[in-house]
Amino acid sequence: MAKIQDFNQRFNYLCLSIVINSAGNALAISTNLGSAVWTASAVNLSKWVNIPLGTTLFLYGIVVTIVNQLMIGSFDRRRFVSNLLYTVPFSYLVQFSQWIFDSLGVPTYSFWLRLILDMIGLFCVAMAVSMYSRANLIMHPNDDMAYIIRFKYISGSAVTSQWLSYIPPVIISTLAYLFTGKVFAIGFGTAFALIFQGAMMKWSDTHAFPKLKHHVDL
């Protein structure tokens, strides 16, 4: 009975985190002041290759899922499937949520209001990542990469693992700029996420839904 209750709690938090994560990323994109590092790179990749953002995020997720398996050093079927299971709803929820925020006129709000909304969106992203990292049922491959780095390679540091996991999206965004000459979804919010997301995750680990504990499987 205790195991069933534990699973139910983890599953409920997982579902909530997917919604929060998608909405937070979409809100940051809609403000036009910079989104989370991985999302910003997906937006730039989408513009570069000229395919919808949702599809870009999905294909991005598949590639990172494969990279995660290489980092683990052996094929983890549960992790492989779970990464893909998270990628599908998240990718298209971001696209749908952005459409909602755009329809509400978020891109036309005053600079200072958009700045506040951008930070709120990015905090929601960090909180959501903390939630489903702790639940550890299924996880977005981008964040699973940071999770693998955190617990397999650097002894649990949330901040350092986030910084290291940002290397691929920074490279993608740089390449997109070199080929297109334009930058999208990169600005204040991207720098804010780059500097503070690890710290916001660390704070969320103990303050956002503190009853949810880490379920480490590495």
Side-chain angles (χ1 to χ4, degrees):
M1 182 63 70
K3 289 185 177 180
I4 294 176
Q5 291 177 341
D6 181 61
F7 175 83
N8 288 339
Q9 180 200 50
R10 293 165 67 188
F11 181 76
N12 290 337
Y13 279 121
L14 167 66
C15 293
L16 178 61
S17 73
I18 293 175
V19 175
I20 293 174
N21 195 21
S22 303
N25 274 287
L27 180 59
I29 294 173
S30 189
T31 64
N32 290 323
L33 290 177
S35 57
V37 179
W38 276 102
T39 310
S41 70
V43 172
N44 281 279
L45 181 60
S46 173
K47 299 294 185 180
W48 178 14
V49 299
N50 196 31
I51 59 176
L53 177 60
T55 303
T56 303
L57 286 166
F58 174 66
L59 295 176
Y60 217 168
I62 293 175
V63 173
V64 178
T65 294
I66 295 171
V67 172
N68 288 345
Q69 296 294 312
L70 296 175
M71 290 177 61
I72 293 172
S74 61
F75 181 67
D76 185 334
R77 183 173 58 184
R78 186 198 69 81
R79 177 172 255 108
F80 183 84
V81 173
S82 73
N83 281 177
L84 295 182
L85 284 175
Y86 194 103
T87 297
V88 175
F90 170 79
S91 299
Y92 294 100
L93 272 174
V94 171
Q95 183 172 313
F96 177 68
S97 299
Q98 184 192 354
W99 174 79
I100 292 177
F101 288 126
D102 286 352
S103 298
L104 292 173
V106 170
T108 66
Y109 291 173
S110 69
F111 172 80
W112 292 109
L113 180 54
R114 286 187 293 121
L115 187 68
I116 293 171
L117 291 175
D118 194 21
M119 289 189 288
I120 290 174
L122 293 170
F123 175 77
C124 286
V125 171
M127 180 174 64
V129 174
S130 167
M131 290 168 63
Y132 64 71
S133 294
R134 283 178 281 158
N136 197 20
L137 291 175
I138 65 174
M139 193 180 300
H140 192 286
N142 296 348
D143 300 309
D144 198 22
M145 175 182 286
Y147 182 90
I148 293 168
I149 294 171
R150 179 179 180 181
F151 290 106
K152 186 175 177 66
Y153 294 102
I154 59 172
S155 305
S157 172
V159 177
T160 305
S161 64
Q162 281 296 317
W163 276 84
L164 292 174
S165 73
Y166 286 155
I167 294 174
V170 168
I171 292 174
I172 292 294
S173 293
T174 302
L175 288 174
Y177 170 72
L178 291 175
F179 278 90
T180 66
K182 298 179 180 179
V183 175
F184 303 92
I186 293 179
F188 165 80
T190 312
F192 181 80
L194 187 64
I195 297 170
F196 294 111
Q197 182 160 328
M200 290 188 293
M201 279 182 58
K202 183 177 181 180
W203 183 91
S204 297
D205 281 349
T206 55
H207 292 84
F209 308 103
K211 290 183 179 180
L212 179 62
K213 305 301 181 183
H214 270 293
H215 294 76
V216 181
D217 62 357
L218 285 171

